[in-house]
């Protein structure tokens, strides 16, 4: 498998006019990284959601994953929220 891109689309419960496509996990297999595969996949997804009327696309990334942060920043994504976690 070259890449994985699970996504769901939900209305924002506070602002129903906002429809957000949420990318929960995104990865490109190591042999295909740095060849434009991830960029092409995300750009195709954005184009499709723009056509559908989706107002925003969000992607979750881990705080310490500098490569992922740089990837999403190159595609125009910025930090929107912070998720807190508690280990049990």
């Amino acid at each position: 498998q070259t890449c994985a891109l699970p996504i769901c689309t939900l209305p924002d419960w506070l602002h129903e006019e906002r429809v957000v496509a949420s990318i929960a996990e995104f990865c490109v297999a190591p042999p295909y990284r740095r060849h434009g595969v991830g960029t092409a996949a995300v750009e195709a997804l954005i184009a499709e959601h723009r056509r559908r009327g989706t107002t925003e696309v969000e992607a979750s990334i881990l705080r310490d994953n500098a490569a992922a942060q740089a990837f999403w920043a190159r595609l125009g994504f910025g930090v929107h929220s912070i998720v807190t976690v508690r280990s049990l």
Side-chain angles (χ1 to χ4, degrees):
Q1 187 171 2
T2 305
C3 69
L5 188 73
I7 188 163
C8 66
T9 305
L10 302 168
D12 183 310
W13 64 275
L14 284 176
H15 307 287
E16 292 182 13
E17 69 281 0
R18 288 181 59 226
V19 178
V20 180
S22 182
I23 301 169
E25 297 283 337
F26 179 72
C27 65
V28 175
Y32 301 99
R33 292 179 186 164
R34 312 300 269 165
H35 291 92
V37 172
T39 298
V42 173
E43 286 177 348
L45 175 127
I46 289 170
E48 174 60 20
H49 278 277
R50 186 175 285 126
R51 185 189 68 72
R52 292 181 187 189
T54 302
T55 55
E56 293 180 5
V57 176
E58 64 183 26
S60 298
I61 58 175
L62 295 175
R63 178 192 64 219
D64 296 332
N65 189 337
Q69 291 175 23
F71 171 80
W72 292 104
R74 282 193 304 275
L75 292 170
F77 286 71
V79 175
H80 178 269
S81 62
I82 297 172
V83 175
T84 59
V85 177
R86 177 180 169 177
S87 295
L88 301 179

